[in-house]
Amino acid sequence: MGLKNKLYPILDSNSFGRAILQTNRNLREQKRTAAIVSGTHNFIDRSKGGDKLCIILAGYKPTLWEDVFNRIAAYIPSDVDMCIMTSGLENDDLKAIAAEHDWSYLSTSVNHLSVVQNIAIECHPHAKWIYKLDEDMFITKGFFEAMLDTFVKLEEESLYKPAFVSPLINVSCYGHLRLLEKVGLLDDFRATGLTDMKFSDGLHHNRQVISEPRVARYMWGETQPVLRDIDALTEQFSVENEGFRYSICPVRYSIGAILFTRDAWDEFGHFPLTFVGGAYGLGDDEEHICNYACFTGRVMVVNENIVVGHLGYGGEQTKTMVEYHAEHRDQFRLKA
């Protein structure tokens, strides 16, 4: 495992030299992290051996699980294998959820997000299509089908080659502005003064999107009722009502709900066993797959017919939104 084929932009002799140095650093990093790869893991295999796999990282937001997993159970097609993953821990409640729905469960002894995802994919050798979710993503009807249809359609009919496909996510550095555009609330949101009103990665500017609790509460409809019902928004934006709609994200994308291929995973050398994002590899997978998209001529595609709810990013925003979820359960529950 490790970085088998990380690509770097070679623009001139200096950048070529930097690429060689980086390759050497990668080799040293591979040796340093070899013990991680061979660390213990527990895989309860209930897969059907199909060509579609959904992996979900979970373990730290238990109050969300009933609503998150009920939605997945209701909308996941029968030909998609499901695997719940816990990194660095084993959780009996998640094991029970997996058993209840006849899903697989994977836990690792080492807490590194790239490791657990790589192992999950390796444990499903026949999976060609890989959906990746986080435990604070509330999917809506048609999510799985729309992601696959979008990927295939762009491959066959568009001028683009996709790296991955994502839905329109409400609390997202890119998705929040597109959603506000579609429902006519850009000026209303601008008047709040909460953000810089720019498409961004949320890291170099417009950081309010990933840190400010009021942004997340606004995008979940605290003051605008139209934003409170992600299921109604998905119906409103459906192919039947709007026709096929997608956009291309031009900045680093947050990968809490995406579809990519096994071929891509192999081509970008699997998720990286580095510590760029800290001890747990937080954000390393995102940086790696977005780098792959940018430097191999592929695009990050957002299907705009499907709306998915994201509770929020980390820190104070997540803490506040966990409380918001508890106080507004009807917004998040699977509709009967």
Side-chain angles (χ1 to χ4, degrees):
M1 200 180 297
L3 296 178
K4 300 187 299 186
N5 186 34
K6 185 165 183 178
L7 303 176
Y8 295 88
I10 299 176
L11 303 178
D12 52 36
S13 59
N14 289 332
S15 62
F16 179 78
R18 288 194 296 272
I20 295 297
L21 291 174
Q22 183 63 55
T23 299
N24 291 334
R25 284 194 291 268
N26 289 342
L27 292 174
R28 291 194 297 271
E29 187 68 27
Q30 283 181 256
K31 293 179 180 178
R32 187 168 77 88
T33 57
I36 291 179
V37 183
S38 60
T40 60
H41 67 274
N42 178 37
F43 179 52
I44 301 174
D45 185 4
R46 300 187 180 95
S47 65
K48 299 178 285 292
D51 67 350
K52 303 178 190 69
L53 167 67
C54 179
I55 57 178
I56 180 166
L57 281 164
Y60 296 94
K61 297 173 182 147
T63 59
L64 309 183
W65 294 343
E66 180 180 358
D67 295 330
V68 167
F69 287 112
N70 280 350
R71 284 179 172 271
I72 292 173
Y75 298 134
I76 190 167
S78 60
D79 64 345
V80 178
D81 283 325
M82 180 72 190
C83 181
I84 299 175
M85 307 176 296
T86 52
S87 179
L89 60 90
E90 190 166 300
N91 185 282
D92 288 338
D93 291 334
L94 289 172
K95 288 173 71 174
I97 291 171
E100 176 186 355
H101 296 292
D102 200 29
W103 296 337
S104 297
Y105 175 78
L106 170 68
S107 63
T108 57
S109 59
V110 173
N111 189 6
H112 194 287
L113 302 185
S114 288
V115 170
V116 71
Q117 292 177 87
N118 287 338
I119 292 175
I121 295 169
E122 288 177 342
C123 286
H124 297 80
H126 302 292
K128 297 179 180 179
W129 299 96
I130 301 162
Y131 300 88
K132 182 258 183 187
L133 291 170
D134 288 342
E135 65 184 324
D136 58 357
M137 290 287 174
F138 300 81
I139 69 166
T140 52
K141 186 177 181 180
F143 163 78
F144 291 97
E145 295 87 348
M147 296 305 100
L148 182 57
D149 289 347
T150 301
F151 202 115
V152 172
K153 195 175 185 67
L154 263 70
E155 280 274 25
E156 294 180 350
E157 301 178 14
S158 80
L159 300 179
Y160 295 112
K161 188 168 185 64
F164 58 81
V165 174
S166 177
L168 191 59
I169 300 172
N170 60 354
V171 183
S172 160
C173 295
Y174 176 78
H176 79 291
L177 290 178
R178 285 296 302 128
L179 179 55
L180 292 172
E181 281 185 297
K182 286 174 73 73
V183 297
L185 287 176
L186 273 179
D187 288 340
D188 184 78
F189 184 69
R190 183 180 289 110
T192 68
L194 289 174
T195 78
D196 301 330
M197 297 295 294
K198 298 292 184 183
F199 290 119
S200 171
D201 58 4
L203 299 173
H204 296 88
H205 50 276
N206 208 22
R207 290 183 56 85
Q208 306 95 325
V209 179
I210 69 173
S211 62
E212 174 56 64
R214 289 177 295 170
V215 173
R217 293 202 305 267
Y218 183 99
M219 294 309 302
W220 275 100
E222 185 174 51
T223 60
Q224 292 293 342
V226 68
L227 297 174
R228 293 173 190 167
D229 192 334
I230 56 176
D231 301 289
L233 286 170
T234 291
E235 176 63 26
Q236 178 183 338
F237 300 155
S238 67
V239 172
E240 291 75 18
N241 288 330
E242 288 199 345
F244 177 51
R245 293 285 184 270
Y246 72 90
S247 59
I248 304 300
C249 177
V251 293
R252 172 172 168 168
Y253 194 84
S254 184
I255 60 170
I258 63 170
L259 170 68
F260 58 100
T261 67
R262 189 183 204 91
D263 286 345
W265 179 69
D266 281 333
E267 188 168 12
F268 64 65
H270 303 179
F271 292 112
L273 304 180
T274 60
F275 295 87
V276 174
Y280 310 130
L282 183 63
D284 292 359
D285 53 349
E286 177 180 296
E287 178 178 330
H288 195 61
I289 197 169
C290 290
N291 182 78
Y292 163 75
C294 183
F295 291 113
T296 62
R298 291 166 171 81
V299 292
M300 300 171 285
V301 183
V302 178
N303 174 290
E304 298 195 350
N305 298 118
I306 298 288
V307 177
V308 165
H310 177 209
L311 191 76
Y313 292 91
E316 189 63 28
Q317 189 178 76
T318 290
K319 178 181 177 182
T320 299
M321 289 307 296
V322 166
E323 297 171 356
Y324 186 92
H325 168 263
E327 296 166 358
H328 301 81
R329 287 292 300 280
D330 286 345
Q331 289 181 230
F332 299 87
R333 285 192 180 102
L334 175 69
K335 304 299 188 293

